[in-house]
Amino acid sequence: MLMAHPAVLRNLVEQYDTLRILHAENGDAAVRRRMDDVAYTLCVSTGTRDVDSALVAARHRLPGARTEDDSLLSA
């Protein structure tokens, strides 16, 4: 599987977090569509099927992540 560059993952996580806040504040349909697009891209970039797993996987791959603690990713 191809792995997304950490800079790309960081950007996607930041976009998703920002869009989630915007959507919570005003519930705009355009914001929700963009949030869905970013969530899809995160899932494809991390090889996951849902946005929560994608966020965990993306954050785990960022520089400074605690690589010795992968308990959230264990089955």
Side-chain angles (χ1 to χ4, degrees):
M1 177 173 94
L2 292 175
M3 302 298 277
H5 191 278
V8 172
L9 292 175
R10 180 179 310 282
N11 181 276
L12 289 169
V13 169
E14 288 173 359
Q15 281 186 59
Y16 189 81
D17 289 342
T18 300
L19 290 165
R20 185 173 24 197
I21 291 167
L22 287 173
H23 182 66
E25 288 178 355
N26 62 20
D28 186 20
V31 172
R32 182 63 201 183
R33 282 191 303 274
R34 181 66 185 137
M35 200 165 100
D36 289 343
D37 289 344
V38 173
Y40 174 80
T41 304
L42 269 166
C43 288
V44 170
S45 299
T46 58
T48 58
R49 293 183 179 257
D50 65 86
V51 71
D52 293 327
S53 297
L55 288 166
V56 169
R59 288 182 175 122
H60 186 75
R61 292 183 190 150
L62 295 177
R66 293 183 55 200
T67 56
E68 67 275 359
D69 181 12
D70 63 352
S71 59
L72 292 175
L73 299 177
S74 299

